[in-house]
Amino acid sequence: MDQIEQVKATVDQWMKGLDTGDLDLMIATCDPDIVMCNEHRATTTGIQAVRDKYTPRIAQARFASTFDVDHIKVYGDFALVVGQFSVTVTDKKNGEQSGASGRLILNYRRHPDGAWKLLLDVDNNDH
């Protein structure tokens, strides 16, 4: 598997973890220095902060998400991924649905063992 395919597989692993409610699968894709800059939310820094952010979300809702890659390129030990996301969120208690869609910029860092880990996540929601 080439490096671009490895990065795509890491993106897919995050999405699978989100959609199945497997937080550990999501966290396994994260760099220890991860920074998440999500629209209308405080910046999240570090794996524990990501865990704290997603634990209540996964407890409260089911997610169905898609991500379509518009651009992906590897620059040495870093990879840039730009694409369009869509997510439907279903409340586990009352079944109410909400969702979001927009653009997502992801930056991955290659670790010494060859694994690609999410370092930066920036989204821009459609309105």
Side-chain angles (χ1 to χ4, degrees), residues 22-36:
D22 187 341
L23 182 59
D24 290 332
L25 189 61
M26 295 166 60
I27 294 297
T29 70
C30 295
D31 188 277
D33 298 323
I34 186 170
V35 177
M36 297 185 117

Side-chain angles (χ1 to χ4, degrees), residues 25-91:
L25 189 61
M26 295 166 60
I27 294 297
T29 70
C30 295
D31 188 277
D33 298 323
I34 186 170
V35 177
M36 297 185 117
C37 304
N38 301 132
E39 190 169 355
H40 305 298
R41 304 230 184 245
T43 299
T44 304
T45 305
I47 288 177
Q48 187 58 51
V50 172
R51 185 177 293 283
D52 294 345
K53 178 179 186 173
Y54 279 94
T55 295
R57 291 179 181 185
I58 288 173
Q60 180 181 9
R62 286 184 306 278
F63 296 84
S65 57
T66 62
F67 183 70
D68 298 315
V69 174
D70 294 333
H71 174 83
I72 184 169
K73 186 158 182 169
V74 172
Y75 302 90
D77 286 337
F78 292 91
L80 177 66
V81 181
V82 179
Q84 304 292 321
F85 76 91
S86 176
V87 62
T88 301
V89 182
T90 305
D91 188 287

